[in-house]
Every structure is written in structure tokens, then in C-alpha cells.
Amino acid sequence: MSDCIFCKIVEGKIPSRKVYEDDDMLAFHDINPCAPVHFMIIPKKHVDSLAHVGPEHAAVLGKMMVKAGSLAREQGSPDGFRTIVNTGRIGRQDVYHLHIHVIGGPNPLPRMIAKE
Ligand code: 5GP
Ligand code: ZN
């Protein structure tokens, strides 16, 4: 997609700090990290969000999930991590190119969502 910032990162038109890349996916550090480890895993092929996927995306989504743990360990989150996929208006998604946030570090994170 021409005006998608994550597609531009995939194409190298916007720089990023790369964590991992293969034919199907890219992982790169979040520009505004919320923890000592905070990177994103994205499919190289554009899809807006988790609300827009179909069976044709199952393989790449599986690969992204399978890769999260080893990348988190390599990046300095040795004993677990959190994955977040913000989706749509209700999920407060800002960038409409599907991405898995992988968040962690040496110490436990705050609890997930404050109860109302
Ligand atoms: P969302 O709210 O859509 O789940 O998360 C989008 C994330 O993308 C945010 O955490 C934001 O910091 C990150 N982000 C936005 N623009 C850029 C960028 O140009 N480069 C990188 N590396 N991260 C970005
Ligand atoms: Zn895109």
C-alpha cells in the first residue's frame, strides 16, 4: 500500500532498526518503546488488521507467532514477554498494517489493562 508507513519500512523507504527478516515477515524496534524490549513483527504483504485476515493469512500469522519467543529472548526478555495486537477503533490501532507488538525486558511488566 503506497501510503502505509509499515509498507514503506518493508520497502526500505523509511529506516527502521531491524530485528529479523525473512521472505514473509519483518521484525523491527518500535520507535516509541514502552518497555526495555519493544519490537513489532509484521507480515511483509500488507493487510490492514487482524479483523481483515482470511485463511490465506494463516501461514504467515503462524510463522510470526512461532518466531516471537526466540526473538524476545535474543532481544533481552529471557523469561517471557507480552504480545499485543491492537485491532481497529476499539483496539486503538494507530497503524493499519497488521503488527504484533512484542514487549518485555529483564523485569516483569505492569499488569495488562487497568480495570475500570
Ligand atoms: P498500534 O497503536 O497501531 O498498535 O501501534 C503502532 C506502533 O507503531 C506504535 O507503538 C508506534 O510507536 C509505532 N510506530 C509508528 N510509526 C513508526 C515508525 O515510523 N517506525 C517505527 N519503528 N515504529 C513506528
Ligand atoms: Zn502496509
Side-chain angles (χ1 to χ4, degrees), residues 6 32 35 53 58 67 72:
F6 286 0
N32 187 19
V53 296
K67 201 74 194 166

Side-chain angles (χ1 to χ4, degrees), residues 4 7 46 97:
C4 168
C7 280
H46 182 94
H97 180 131

Side-chain angles (χ1 to χ4, degrees), residues 25-93:
M25 62 180 157
L26 175 69
F28 57 95
H29 292 280
D30 197 296
I31 205 165
N32 187 19
C34 66
V37 173
H38 185 177
F39 61 89
M40 262 133 4
I41 309 177
I42 70 170
K44 283 191 168 177
K45 211 167 157 191
H46 182 94
V47 57
D48 278 3
S49 82
L50 201 55
H52 295 82
V53 296
E56 68 275 23
H57 298 101
V60 70
L61 287 169
K63 282 186 67 174
M64 289 160 63
M65 293 298 271
V66 166
K67 201 74 194 166
S70 60
L71 293 180
R73 280 191 295 278
E74 282 171 27
Q75 293 300 316
S77 200
D79 195 22
F81 54 91
R82 181 172 295 157
T83 48
I84 298 176
V85 184
N86 293 322
T87 302
R89 181 177 64 88
I90 306 299
R92 298 278 186 109
Q93 183 175 1

